[in-house]
Amino acid sequence: MEINLISDTVTKPTSEMLDAMMAAKVGDDVFKADPTVNALEEKVAELFGKEAALYFPSGTMTNQAAIKLHTNPGDQLICDKYAHVYNYEGGGVSFNSGVSCKLVDGYRGTMTAEQVEHAVNPPDFYHSPLTSLVCIENTTNKGGGACWNFQELERIKSVCEKHKLAYHLDGARLWNALVAKNETARQYGALFDSISVCLSKGLGCPVGSVLVGNKELIGKALRIRKVLGGGMRQAGFLAAAGIYALDNHVERLAEDHKRAQEIGKILEMLSLVKKIEPIETNIIIFEIDEQKTSETAFLEKLKQKGVHIIGMGQGKLRIVTHLDYTDRKHEAFIGLLRKL
Ligand SMILES: *Cc1c(COP(=O)(O)O)cnc(C)c1O
């Protein structure tokens, strides 16, 4: 039995999801004439209490479009040093928008309002880039699935208002945070100017992300998406998977979180494991005791038993639980870990 825990993006559509996809009514979405894409956009906008939404092929493209919308070339955005927009989008911030990042040395990918305030360049000091945007990530990917304290997000919002900065949320994994912290999409919709969410992570869709915002912003986003090559034709087949996932795969994220906790408990007992980061959602980051075995030897040993996990660099290993990591697989993996 192969157990793939490298990411929650390795899931394949369930047969129910495939049925929903095959039954989708479609049209040409570049002419805004795909009824299923339109329905998904309305559904997500409504969930967040926002005026409008736009369907994108990837989370990277939604974030890149948002950054383009909120900035001008030469500007600077503020984000944590672990941010996906800074580390994992191929340098798109500078490539697409001509923008630099002011990095904050936060905790597990989260920042404080004081740190953000401190990172804002004075607007009349023309030697420095103009700060125009703050990017938040929830849950944090490189930060190990950490969730933000909502009050801190409200405090950062005040900093944005004071300095007239746009406020964007990279919510690729926001669904995990909503379930783990018992929060609502509406709370987030009320706070941010734009939010990107992924349907292809924890929710188990093959493709898809959505950007939400007000009508004016999303109207402009349509042009940016076109420029980035993200206009799709009969995309309703894919959007149908998103509608299905929103109706059926959000609450169940609690199961992924529970299994992650259980894996953490076993890892804690292993002498090979030196350190485990706090587990808040479905991501487990831990370090191997290099005195006892090497990272590569540990990965190889698991691989021989059909288990795939991933190295994050700097001695950190990562396990991510997901929709296709069933009870049967969980029992097998726990049994195997106990014997290490
Ligand atoms: C996965 C992810 C993205 C990008 O999504 P893709 O669909 O892979 O482009 C953006 N932000 C975060 C936090 C992510 O985890």
Side-chain angles (χ1 to χ4, degrees):
M1 175 168 41
E2 291 292 305
I3 303 178
N4 192 342
L5 298 168
I6 65 168
S7 174
D8 46 10
T9 53
V10 300
T11 55
K12 308 215 171 95
T14 62
S15 59
E16 292 85 356
M17 183 181 276
L18 281 173
D19 287 346
M21 293 169 73
M22 295 317 286
K25 291 200 173 61
V26 299
D28 188 339
D29 183 50
V30 172
F31 290 100
K32 296 303 282 167
D34 186 302
T36 310
V37 172
N38 292 342
L40 172 67
E41 290 174 348
E42 274 165 37
K43 189 179 176 75
V44 178
E46 166 72 20
L47 252 179
F48 283 90
K50 285 290 201 196
E51 286 173 3
L54 191 65
Y55 187 51
F56 280 77
S58 74
T60 298
M61 202 188 280
T62 46
N63 282 332
Q64 290 302 315
I67 291 164
K68 185 73 192 162
L69 286 161
H70 294 305
T71 61
N72 287 308
D75 287 359
Q76 192 163 68
L77 67 79
I78 297 171
C79 64
D80 180 82
K81 64 183 186 296
Y82 281 179
H84 195 280
V85 296
Y86 173 71
N87 289 287
Y88 302 127
E89 300 191 1
V93 170
S94 45
F95 190 98
N96 296 314
S97 299
V99 165
S100 59
C101 297
K102 176 90 141 238
L103 299 183
V104 169
D105 186 15
Y107 172 70
R108 305 188 79 214
T110 68
M111 314 177 275
T112 65
E114 288 72 24
Q115 286 177 310
V116 174
E117 172 81 52
H118 192 70
V120 179
N121 293 330
D124 49 357
F125 187 69
Y126 60 83
H127 308 280
S128 305
L130 186 69
T131 309
S132 51
L133 170 66
V134 175
C135 285
I136 300 290
E137 186 174 316
N138 196 15
T139 72
T140 66
N141 179 336
K142 195 175 163 73
C147 301
W148 281 73
N149 174 335
F150 195 79
Q151 267 99 47
E152 202 60 49
L153 293 174
E154 290 176 324
R155 294 177 63 225
I156 295 175
K157 168 77 172 179
S158 303
V159 175
C160 292
E161 279 170 347
K162 181 176 154 200
H163 298 282
K164 299 196 170 56
L165 311 177
Y167 201 24
H168 172 69
L169 173 63
D170 174 358
R173 292 199 157 81
L174 185 64
W175 314 110
N176 293 87
L178 297 183
V179 169
K181 303 270 284 186
N182 213 1
E183 294 166 340
T184 65
R186 290 247 158 171
Q187 277 175 270
Y188 283 85
L191 206 57
F192 288 91
D193 298 314
S194 58
I195 301 176
S196 62
V197 290
C198 275
L199 303 165
S200 59
K201 301 275 170 81
L203 299 195
C205 293
V207 178
S209 275
V210 180
L211 183 70
V212 298
N214 67 23
K215 261 202 188 113
E216 193 196 341
L217 191 86
I218 296 302
K220 288 182 181 158
L222 197 55
R223 178 180 292 274
I224 307 294
R225 188 184 70 177
K226 180 75 195 185
V227 172
L228 295 175
M232 298 184 284
R233 302 294 178 178
Q234 285 72 33
F237 290 118
L238 298 169
I243 294 173
Y244 180 86
L246 287 169
D247 290 338
N248 296 282
H249 291 171
V250 178
E251 297 305 318
R252 65 150 304 286
L253 291 171
E255 293 174 34
D256 297 344
H257 300 172
K258 180 167 158 279
R259 290 186 188 120
Q261 289 290 340
E262 288 165 3
I263 293 168
K265 294 236 163 64
I266 307 292
L267 289 176
E268 261 170 33
M269 298 190 299
L270 296 182
S271 66
L272 291 178
V273 174
K274 190 166 77 184
K275 184 175 166 229
I276 309 174
E277 292 187 11
I279 300 164
E280 297 181 46
T281 51
N282 66 329
I283 302 179
I284 304 148
I285 293 184
F286 63 104
E287 286 170 42
I288 288 293
D289 188 343
E290 294 274 353
Q291 312 279 3
K292 300 202 170 103
T293 185
S294 74
E295 190 184 314
T296 27
F298 185 81
L299 288 177
E300 191 51 37
K301 195 167 176 184
L302 286 180
K303 202 167 157 189
Q304 274 162 17
K305 314 241 183 223
V307 177
H308 305 271
I309 71 170
I310 204 168
M312 299 279 285
Q314 290 141 10
K316 291 184 179 182
L317 297 178
R318 187 179 86 165
I319 292 172
V320 189
T321 59
H322 53 74
L323 185 61
D324 287 0
Y325 179 62
T326 55
D327 267 333
R328 206 165 66 91
K329 290 185 178 181
H330 185 51
E331 274 162 38
F333 181 47
I334 292 279
L336 190 155
L337 279 181
R338 281 186 202 279
K339 282 190 231 130
L340 280 182

